[in-house]
Amino acid sequence: MFSIEALPAEYGDSLWIEYGSATKPMRILIDCGTPEVYKNTLRTRIKALKPTDRHFELFIVSHIDADHIGGALDFIAETKDLGVTFGDIWFNGYKQLEKASNMLGVAQAEELTGMLEDKSLKLPWNKLFSGSPVMIKDGKKLPSVELSDGMTFTLLSPTTQQLVGLIPEWKTTCEDAGIVPGSGAKPSRPARRNAQEMLGDPPVELLADKRFTSDKAKPNGSSIAVMAEYKGKRMMLAADAHAPVLLSSLNRMEEAKPIEVDVVKLAHHG
């Protein structure tokens, strides 16, 4: 069994994946949407599980846009009360960006950093990457990790350059909110919010006639995107990753082309 459910996530992402035994599946969670998504949907879904089943093999916070990271703060804050545990949590915070060089929901990313570093919560953080950034290196084989029961995740995004490129924007947003970058602190004053582009329901024919232009937003470029493989089935989970990076990574996969994929979660929620 290998299934994916896109939870009702307003204008963001929250993906619930189950695999393995149909009677006792293993679970993976990718993003939590906005805070309202966690409160209205995800929390209810978790509380419906038996207390002994509230374990996630992997939890990915793909990047720092509020429609992906927003609900993660309340989720992590309530993990002890809910009895939720994790095999690993993938999230690139400021410290990972700094390592990549040797940022929108930056204030939320800093707060999440503080939670992940809270020793009382005993949460794993990029454990499968030895605490280093979850990223692709130029000239190196695409990182691939194996979870329980043979589930494999191959990383498609981000690159080192994309993480490093986010540092100036992260710093500026932290300064605006009165936060020292990498401190894991809560903002001392409200941060200015960038306008959220809401597309609504544009005509498909109109979009199809437009020439494609690649997204250049740095937070989106930092997205953790993966190819999930289990027992001959594949899901490409693109978060908000940049199309050229995804294409480059697919071309780097060591197999015949074209690559067969069963499910694609399009970047920017389709």
Side-chain angles (χ1 to χ4, degrees):
M1 187 267 289
F2 185 18
S3 71
I4 182 170
E5 182 178 355
L7 300 181
E10 296 182 347
Y11 55 91
D13 267 359
S14 186
L15 306 178
W16 182 288
I17 297 170
E18 296 188 349
Y19 71 98
S21 167
T23 56
K24 195 171 179 61
M26 285 165 276
R27 296 179 176 88
I28 295 166
L29 181 65
I30 301 180
D31 292 329
C32 293
T34 63
E36 290 74 20
V37 174
Y38 170 70
K39 295 170 185 174
N40 299 332
T41 303
L42 185 55
R43 178 200 277 147
T44 302
R45 183 65 177 270
I46 292 170
K47 291 179 75 172
L49 297 173
K50 296 178 182 178
T52 54
D53 291 340
R54 297 176 187 177
H55 175 78
F56 292 91
E57 299 296 321
L58 179 62
F59 172 38
I60 299 177
V61 181
S62 67
H63 66 297
I64 63 170
D65 274 345
D67 54 334
H68 293 254
I69 194 176
L73 300 179
D74 289 333
F75 177 39
I76 292 295
E78 293 186 357
T79 51
K80 287 184 74 172
D81 291 340
L82 291 171
V84 172
T85 58
F86 305 93
D88 200 8
I89 298 172
W90 292 2
F91 168 67
N92 286 325
Y94 187 77
K95 293 180 180 179
Q96 280 75 28
L97 268 61
E98 285 191 315
K99 287 183 180 180
S101 64
N102 165 213
M103 287 169 339
L104 312 156
V106 167
Q108 294 162 316
E110 287 291 340
E111 192 172 345
L112 180 56
T113 293
M115 292 177 176
L116 293 175
E117 290 184 328
D118 185 342
K119 289 181 170 53
S120 70
L121 296 178
K122 299 179 181 179
L123 297 171
W125 185 6
N126 292 3
K127 181 179 71 174
L128 296 174
F129 287 79
S130 302
S132 293
V134 181
M135 69 181 185
I136 297 165
K137 295 181 180 179
D138 287 341
K140 302 286 187 180
K141 185 178 179 180
L142 294 177
S144 184
V145 298
E146 186 171 326
L147 307 180
S148 300
D149 197 34
M151 169 70 80
T152 301
F153 270 33
T154 300
L155 196 62
L156 304 177
S157 172
T159 64
T160 305
Q161 292 86 346
Q162 288 176 303
L163 291 185
V164 173
L166 183 55
I167 289 176
E169 189 167 339
W170 193 299
K171 284 183 175 179
T172 299
T173 308
C174 280
E175 290 167 3
D176 177 42
I179 302 172
V180 176
S183 65
K186 294 183 179 181
S188 60
R189 55 182 178 269
R192 290 191 300 269
R193 294 185 177 271
N194 293 333
Q196 176 76 42
E197 183 182 4
M198 302 297 289
L199 292 176
D201 189 16
V204 173
E205 295 81 3
L206 181 64
L207 293 176
D209 286 340
K210 283 193 173 184
R211 182 181 294 275
F212 172 75
T213 55
S214 182
D215 175 26
K216 292 182 172 59
K218 289 181 171 61
N220 290 337
S222 72
S223 290
I224 296 173
V226 298
M227 183 74 79
E229 301 180 60
Y230 183 69
K231 295 191 182 301
K233 298 294 184 180
R234 279 181 167 159
M235 295 181 183
M236 180 176 163
L237 309 172
D240 283 355
H242 290 173
V245 172
L246 294 173
L247 182 59
S248 174
S249 293
L250 290 171
N251 283 327
R252 288 170 62 180
M253 291 183 70
E254 298 175 345
E255 61 182 89
K257 306 298 186 295
I259 295 169
E260 294 188 6
V261 180
D262 298 282
V263 173
V264 176
K265 199 302 289 188
L266 293 172
H268 300 284
H269 337 294

